[in-house]
Amino acid sequence: MHDDRTLTEERLDRALRERIRPAVHPRTAPLEFEVWHAPGEPVPFAEAVAGRYEPGALGDAWGPAWGTSWFRVTGRVPAEWAGEIVEVVIDLGFARDRPGFSAEALAHRPDGSVVKALNPRNTWLRIGEPVAGGEEFTYYLEAAANPEILDGVSALGDRETAGSEPLYRVERMDVAVFDRQVWELVQDLEVLDQLMRQLPLGSARRWEILRAVEGCLDALDLDAVGASASAARERLRPVLSSPAHASAHRLSAVGHAHIDSAWLWPLRETVRKVTRTTSNVVALMDDHPEFVFAMSQAQQLDWLREHQPALYARVKEKAAAGQFVPVGGMWVESDTNMPGSEALARQFVYGKRFFLEEFGVETEEVWLPDSFGYSAALPQLVALSGSRWFLTQKISWNTTNPFPHHSFLWEGLDGTRVFTHFPPVDTYVAELSGAELAHAERNFREKGHATRSLVPFGWGDGGGGPTREMLARAGRLADLEGSPRVTIERPADFFAAAEAEYDRPPVWLGELYLELHRGTYTSQARTKQGNRRSEHLLREAELWAATAAVRTGFPYPYEELERIWKSVLLHQFHDILPGSSIAWVHREAEATYARIAEELEAVIEAAQRALAGAPDGGGTVVFNSAPHDRAGVVAGGAAPASGQPERAVEAEACDGGFRLDNGLLRVTVDARGLVVSVVDLVAGRETVAPGRAANLLQVHPDLPNRWDAWDVDAFYRNTVTDLTEADVVRRSGDGVEVVRTFGSSRVTQLLTLRPGARRLDIDTEVDWHEQEKFLKAAFPIDVRADHSTAETQFGHVRRPTHTNTSWEAAKFEICAHRFLHVGEPGWGAALINDSTYGHDVTRAVREDGSTTTTVRLSLLRAPRYPDPATDQGVHRLRYALLPGATIGDAVREGWQFGLPERRVPGSAVVAPLVSVDHDAVVVTAVKLADDGSGDVVVRLHEAHGGRASARLTTGFPLAGARVTDLLERPLAEESAEMAGDAVRLRLRPFQIMTLRLTPNDDV
């Protein structure tokens, strides 16, 4: 038999492209339309409908970047179309390969009710099925001119720089007959064509499909496609009805629309994207009762509730029917590397509570397909939130080491294990194409042990969601020979079945490090500073407001704190906090953080003044919001300022530089302004490696191969410029000021020792005007460390400093919160910081056999995409070197560095609401219970990595104590052991515990 395969495949391609797909709408009539270009920001429907509309024509330009144009579309169904299915077909200039990224529109009826959205892959509005003929109709289209900012340097990322030129032209405005038989034929042929091309050339099934397609095309009259479509489909029926093999992989298809809460568009546009996507979804559900759609991110549904209450009511109806499924259990799909401990816990608190209160749903699956790596703290938080399962896809993006599992148990810091799934389809925006499904089956790493995987399908990133074509594919692929079996079902059904069939799943211990997007630990420093500052201020506001409420009757600001928390959590979304959004997003974030700081400072001041007592005596009360005692003030308490002097810091000139000495450390700064010696006087040990200099600023070129703001590639380290020339090295008070200029930038540093402190503080101001450069601060430490220890949420994570395997080598840039520690038995050193997350650690053996371990902080980057002006301007960065530090020292100093004492006029002693008698037990939150009961809620954890037995004592009469989950609900399996006004604690390493303490109001 001659091989005519290519001939038939090419024949099918052309027939679909030129004859069959166009015949889906065989008869058309043009529509009339008018347009009103809204000035400024989007307006509500009532304002838009009253606009002054001008007649429009095909080819008209519309939409300057970020603008909104309203189209009033009117038409009449031709009388001769009676009995037909009729649709409006609209193309506003859509980019076909960019669903959700460019021009999009939302269709309204004249009464303002939402119909559905229009986007590049969803261009239709159904008029009737069938029509009577003669129907008149009017639609108002709210069209968003979102620019495409998909690569390269672009000024379009901010309305202030985008310009006023229109971006799009109206391409089509028709009313058309919809030929269902032709549409079904298209779906038949596309499914078979995609499947056929994935089967081996030697497969009998491939040739069977080819011959059926050939027969179909022979039966199709290309001049009368509609009339011959049914006969052509009959030729395909035998191959479409052949069932899948008994061993075929089982795919649970879950409708989805990944919607980035901000990215290449601002937050306000995401609000509209959510409306557009959910309107599409509920419209599909009306026609397809089998369709199930999962939506994460409580914030997005809350936006829908606020801005589109009628549509939100429809969503709730579909949720009650089991079609619309809330998932995720978090306020947003946040980054999980950089949010602080309490913030990551609150992602679950506010997300889970929203779904419970609004939908009556206890979400059990944590849904994070696109975050840039996953903290080792997550499994415990997942369990403590009342969830059971975890899903992500992003680890499939690893560039060095393919992850070895698709279904497994993920074990966190404390030993908690969570059943976890990576969809082997390797995408969270699947079309259910033949290539995707074949890849999922081939790629699935649990073969022989498990048979199931999940595939999220629907256009995403910019939203859009599933289409009727995707549902048609799912129906045909439910039981089709040569393909995995596809079943549309709820995520919980998949997880329950997948967990049940896998008796002994493998275990992965520790963080899920993404071998990509490492630059997100550093990009957009102001956003990261705003986040850290907000987290600290929220801790203080809750602590002092709760203390004042219990002690003085101060009105606890429940609603204000919840609103601020939700704003901070929103900005931890995985393209905001990581610094990978357009300029508009980060400009707004900076302004938001400033407002948050102002509000929280007001709360803190009011609460502290209520506690400090009368200021008439001229005294000062020192408040300590850190979780450890310091300078005579207990953790979480306050006391009158002590007049007791501390040992003075000596500062003297030395060999063109200066020497600082506070009796604990002796620091030498040379004439270049570099730290060449830091002697730990307590241990009698030098910190800086011989012949090296610490606090050495280094600049690298930084042009990654692909995603500028996201990535740093390992080759950046091949070229480095050490900043060793100083313009100024001079004494400044008890410290040393160093000024350097380089490139187009200037850096001013103040190096100080505080009396009684075992740390060298470095306050750095950088006026940064470099492009595609990476600024690091290096500390070569004379210590042999085979691992580093970095703070993460509710504990710390150890990472090797060597590169024995490709897994270790890939971690050339790592994330740490307040500290990063390196040490050997008996002595170590830590770097602490106030807002820096990116670090790297390398080691080298010197000629004498000793080891230098170099720790570097990643201070600033200057990527040009998607924000061409990333991080340009003035930054203040604070960090400190802590010689002779244990892990406990690093924990304590890290907290105190970011939570400085506050001084308030007054004379009162403020006893803490709670105190703990064990240094390893860190209290991360003290607040009043969210239900307004007046109970005091305390969240704490073991922070050193060992077991801890401790006693928590309350500063108020205690009537009861309960151990709760993150949502402050009692845990039946755990009880609190009370002893008077105290609770006995027994914690395993890194265990998180939430206590709900009920005051005894009768005492």
Side-chain angles (χ1 to χ4, degrees):
M1 189 73 181
H2 298 298
D3 184 354
D4 59 353
R5 174 179 54 84
T6 302
L7 185 68
T8 302
E9 290 172 354
E10 291 177 352
R11 178 188 180 193
L12 173 60
D13 284 344
R14 184 173 185 184
L16 276 169
R17 182 176 64 253
E18 296 184 9
R19 299 301 176 89
I20 307 175
R21 291 193 189 103
V24 169
H25 292 109
R27 286 176 283 171
T28 64
L31 295 171
E32 294 184 354
F33 70 91
E34 303 162 284
V35 64
W36 174 66
H37 304 292
E41 287 294 281
V43 301
F45 178 83
E47 184 176 339
V49 77
R52 298 182 60 180
Y53 286 77
E54 302 283 343
L58 294 182
D60 282 356
W62 68 278
W66 308 114
T68 301
S69 295
W70 284 81
F71 293 85
R72 182 162 59 201
V73 180
T74 57
R76 180 178 178 275
V77 177
E80 59 270 24
W81 291 1
E84 301 280 9
I85 303 171
V86 176
E87 297 179 339
V88 167
V89 184
I90 293 174
D91 185 344
L92 297 174
F94 300 135
R96 292 292 173 189
D97 59 340
R98 299 289 187 232
F101 283 82
S102 59
E104 300 174 83
L106 181 67
H108 301 257
R109 300 178 184 88
D111 63 2
S113 60
V114 171
V115 183
K116 64 181 286 291
L118 299 166
N119 62 48
R121 304 294 178 88
N122 208 326
T123 61
W124 56 276
L125 301 170
R126 180 66 53 82
I127 298 293
E129 184 180 354
V131 296
E135 292 95 333
E136 295 182 348
F137 54 86
T138 299
Y139 293 110
Y140 286 86
L141 309 181
E142 181 188 14
N146 299 333
E148 293 190 50
I149 313 171
L150 290 166
D151 52 62
V153 178
S154 173
L156 294 173
D158 197 330
R159 188 160 195 162
E160 295 180 356
T161 60
S164 58
E165 290 299 313
L167 302 179
Y168 301 105
R169 293 185 181 276
V170 180
E171 300 290 343
R172 184 176 184 181
M173 287 274 190
D174 288 337
V175 60
V177 170
F178 174 79
D179 191 320
R180 184 177 297 279
Q181 278 298 322
V182 175
W183 183 83
E184 296 285 2
L185 175 60
V186 171
Q187 311 316 310
D188 291 344
L189 287 170
E190 287 185 346
V191 165
L192 288 172
D193 182 37
Q194 292 171 5
L195 172 60
M196 175 178 66
R197 293 172 191 261
Q198 295 302 312
L199 294 171
L201 283 177
S203 163
R205 175 64 168 164
R206 177 164 184 157
W207 290 91
E208 180 184 47
I209 294 173
L210 185 78
R211 294 304 170 215
V213 167
E214 185 178 50
C216 169
L217 295 175
D218 288 343
L220 189 69
D221 184 346
L222 295 180
D223 294 321
V225 172
S228 58
S230 293
R233 291 190 70 201
E234 282 299 316
R235 298 290 188 96
L236 300 176
R237 188 178 303 278
V239 290
L240 282 169
S241 59
S242 182
H245 296 303
S247 60
H249 185 62
R250 297 177 181 273
L251 280 168
S252 296
V254 178
H256 185 49
H258 182 65
I259 306 176
D260 285 316
S261 289
W263 179 29
L264 303 180
W265 47 84
L267 288 168
R268 66 90 154 146
E269 192 57 30
T270 312
V271 175
R272 300 202 293 179
K273 285 179 176 290
V274 170
T275 298
R276 293 191 284 260
T277 295
T278 52
S279 67
N280 282 346
V281 166
V282 295
L284 269 182
M285 288 175 177
D286 288 340
D287 296 332
H288 298 272
E290 80 284 2
F291 174 39
V292 172
F293 178 82
M295 186 168 179
S296 65
Q297 305 196 70
Q299 170 68 87
Q300 295 186 359
L301 287 165
D302 197 35
W303 280 331
L304 192 69
R305 180 185 61 82
E306 177 184 356
H307 295 281
Q308 296 287 346
L311 180 57
Y312 184 67
R314 293 187 67 198
V315 166
K316 293 188 75 171
E317 290 174 5
K318 298 300 185 183
Q323 285 186 275
F324 195 106
V325 182
V327 294
M330 299 177 73
W331 189 247
V332 294
E333 289 183 12
S334 76
D335 177 78
T336 75
N337 289 310
M338 291 172 284
S341 300
E342 194 58 29
L344 197 54
R346 299 298 176 96
Q347 287 284 355
F348 290 96
V349 169
Y350 288 114
K352 294 272 293 191
R353 186 174 291 147
F354 180 88
F355 292 136
L356 279 165
E357 293 176 352
E358 290 293 315
F359 294 90
V361 173
E362 177 84 44
T363 54
E364 294 188 300
E365 44 299 274
V366 175
W367 190 276
L368 281 174
D370 191 32
S371 293
F372 308 149
Y374 303 91
S375 163
L378 271 173
Q380 187 177 190
L381 291 171
V382 170
L384 286 174
S385 73
S387 295
R388 298 172 54 190
W389 304 303
F390 184 83
L391 178 139
T392 182
Q393 183 271 322
K394 198 70 174 187
I395 300 298
S396 70
W397 289 40
N398 275 4
T399 55
T400 306
N401 300 285
F403 197 80
H405 314 299
H406 282 114
S407 292
F408 60 99
L409 294 176
W410 181 19
E411 182 177 328
L413 285 175
D414 71 314
T416 300
R417 293 180 174 183
V418 173
F419 187 79
T420 299
H421 183 67
F422 291 165
V425 70
D426 284 349
T427 180
Y428 47 82
V429 290
E431 305 173 53
L432 298 182
S433 69
E436 290 168 342
L437 303 192
H439 175 76
E441 184 166 33
R442 287 194 301 265
N443 190 37
F444 187 54
R445 295 190 176 93
E446 317 307 318
K447 295 183 185 75
H449 298 284
T451 65
R452 301 171 182 271
S453 69
L454 184 145
V455 52
F457 71 95
W459 298 115
D461 286 336
T467 63
R468 61 187 180 185
E469 289 78 15
M470 294 177 192
L471 294 179
R473 289 179 202 138
R476 286 161 174 78
L477 295 165
D479 190 13
L480 183 62
E481 183 184 354
S483 169
R485 286 189 174 89
V486 175
T487 303
I488 294 178
E489 62 181 352
R490 298 165 59 247
D493 294 334
F494 160 75
F495 273 108
E499 190 175 26
E501 76 168 353
Y502 207 170
D503 291 337
R504 298 171 60 189
V507 177
W508 182 270
L509 172 63
E511 68 180 330
L512 296 171
Y513 177 92
L514 178 63
E515 296 172 354
L516 194 70
H517 294 357
R518 304 166 182 90
T520 58
Y521 311 148
T522 306
S523 297
Q524 298 286 4
R526 294 183 187 90
T527 299
K528 291 170 171 58
Q529 285 186 321
N531 174 73
R532 181 82 68 88
R533 176 71 168 148
S534 298
E535 291 176 347
H536 283 164
L537 289 172
L538 277 162
R539 173 194 172 83
E540 292 186 86
E542 289 183 337
L543 170 65
W544 300 124
T547 304
V550 172
R551 297 282 164 68
T552 72
F554 179 83
Y556 190 80
Y558 292 99
E559 293 182 1
E560 184 177 5
L561 290 173
E562 179 173 331
R563 173 177 51 78
I564 293 172
W565 262 119
K566 288 178 177 177
S567 183
V568 172
L569 300 179
L570 166 59
H571 285 81
Q572 291 176 343
F573 177 75
H574 65 250
D575 276 307
I576 304 179
L577 180 54
S580 48
S581 287
I582 56 173
W584 188 342
V585 173
H586 292 290
R587 173 172 55 80
E588 285 192 334
E590 188 174 355
T592 298
Y593 285 132
R595 289 194 300 271
I596 286 171
E598 184 177 351
E599 290 183 83
L600 291 175
E601 290 284 4
V603 172
I604 293 165
E605 181 182 6
Q608 289 182 336
R609 288 188 178 277
L611 291 165
D616 301 338
T620 300
V621 177
V622 178
F623 284 80
N624 176 21
S625 59
H628 301 89
D629 300 353
R630 65 176 160 190
V633 182
V634 297
S642 170
Q644 196 170 15
E646 293 181 317
R647 183 187 187 280
V649 176
E650 298 176 3
E652 60 182 9
C654 176
D655 297 329
F658 295 91
R659 180 175 291 132
L660 307 176
D661 190 326
N662 68 353
L664 299 173
L665 297 179
R666 183 187 303 123
V667 178
T668 302
V669 180
D670 72 4
R672 302 170 297 170
L674 300 176
V675 177
V676 293
S677 175
V678 179
V679 178
D680 177 357
L681 297 173
V682 176
R685 176 163 175 164
E686 174 63 61
T687 304
V688 181
R692 301 289 299 278
N695 193 39
L696 173 64
L697 297 178
Q698 299 179 302
V699 179
H700 297 270
D702 184 19
L703 185 65
N705 286 345
R706 298 193 69 182
W707 296 287
D708 290 13
W710 289 259
D711 289 348
V712 289
D713 290 334
F715 55 74
Y716 86 88
R717 295 186 293 187
N718 297 345
T719 306
V720 62
T721 301
D722 293 341
L723 302 183
T724 57
E725 300 296 322
D727 301 332
V728 175
V729 180
R730 63 189 171 202
R731 182 167 172 175
S732 177
D734 290 335
V736 178
E737 183 183 40
V738 181
V739 180
R740 307 182 194 278
T741 53
F742 59 96
S744 301
S745 303
R746 176 186 177 92
V747 58
T748 302
Q749 293 189 303
L750 183 62
L751 288 69
T752 58
L753 286 180
R754 293 190 303 110
R758 291 182 63 179
R759 75 182 196 217
L760 172 64
D761 289 0
I762 302 166
D763 196 329
T764 300
E765 182 180 279
V766 186
D767 190 5
W768 181 245
H769 295 285
E770 306 308 300
Q771 293 284 354
E772 295 169 345
K773 296 291 189 292
F774 199 1
L775 180 65
K776 293 262 189 176
F779 291 79
I781 299 173
D782 188 11
V783 66
R784 181 173 176 80
D786 61 4
H787 68 270
S788 65
T789 302
E791 186 188 40
T792 190
Q793 300 92 353
F794 298 104
H796 55 256
V797 59
R798 288 163 50 113
R799 301 182 179 99
T801 58
H802 58 75
T803 55
N804 283 358
T805 73
S806 58
W807 291 89
E808 285 101 26
K811 295 181 182 180
F812 58 83
E813 184 79 4
I814 56 177
C815 183
H817 285 201
R818 297 178 187 86
F819 73 82
L820 191 144
H821 180 275
V822 291
E824 58 191 33
W827 194 88
L831 281 175
I832 59 176
N833 70 83
D834 76 339
S835 57
T836 296
Y837 295 91
H839 296 74
D840 71 81
V841 184
T842 55
R843 57 196 299 276
V845 177
R846 307 192 294 269
E847 290 185 2
D848 65 357
S850 298
T851 302
T852 299
T853 302
T854 300
V855 179
R856 299 197 303 169
L857 297 96
S858 303
L859 300 181
L860 291 169
R861 298 184 66 220
R864 303 185 68 196
Y865 174 77
D867 176 4
T870 301
D871 279 333
Q872 300 300 294
V874 177
H875 302 268
R876 185 185 176 199
L877 307 162
R878 295 173 57 246
Y879 49 91
L881 174 64
L882 192 64
T886 64
I887 296 296
D889 295 331
V891 170
R892 181 183 62 256
E893 293 290 337
W895 276 101
Q896 294 181 359
F897 195 67
L899 289 165
E901 299 168 339
R902 289 180 180 266
R903 294 175 176 265
V904 178
S907 58
V909 173
V910 181
L913 277 188
V914 296
S915 57
V916 181
D917 65 357
H918 198 303
D919 193 56
V921 178
V922 170
V923 174
T924 61
V926 178
K927 58 189 284 295
L928 294 192
D930 291 342
D931 62 7
S933 64
D935 286 355
V936 175
V937 171
V938 179
R939 189 142 35 241
L940 50 83
H941 72 287
E942 195 288 319
H944 294 182
R947 295 184 180 274
S949 295
R951 181 183 178 92
L952 180 145
T953 304
T954 61
F956 53 87
L958 185 61
R962 288 166 288 174
V963 179
T964 74
D965 66 4
L966 298 181
L967 279 69
E968 303 169 12
R969 303 175 296 190
L971 291 174
E973 64 273 18
E974 295 196 41
S975 60
E977 182 183 346
M978 289 180 56
D981 292 337
V983 180
R984 297 187 185 277
L985 307 175
R986 294 178 178 83
L987 301 175
R988 65 182 179 272
F990 302 127
Q991 182 181 353
I992 303 167
M993 182 176 288
T994 305
L995 292 170
R996 185 173 182 134
L997 309 172
T998 302
N1000 188 343
D1001 295 330
D1002 297 331
V1003 178

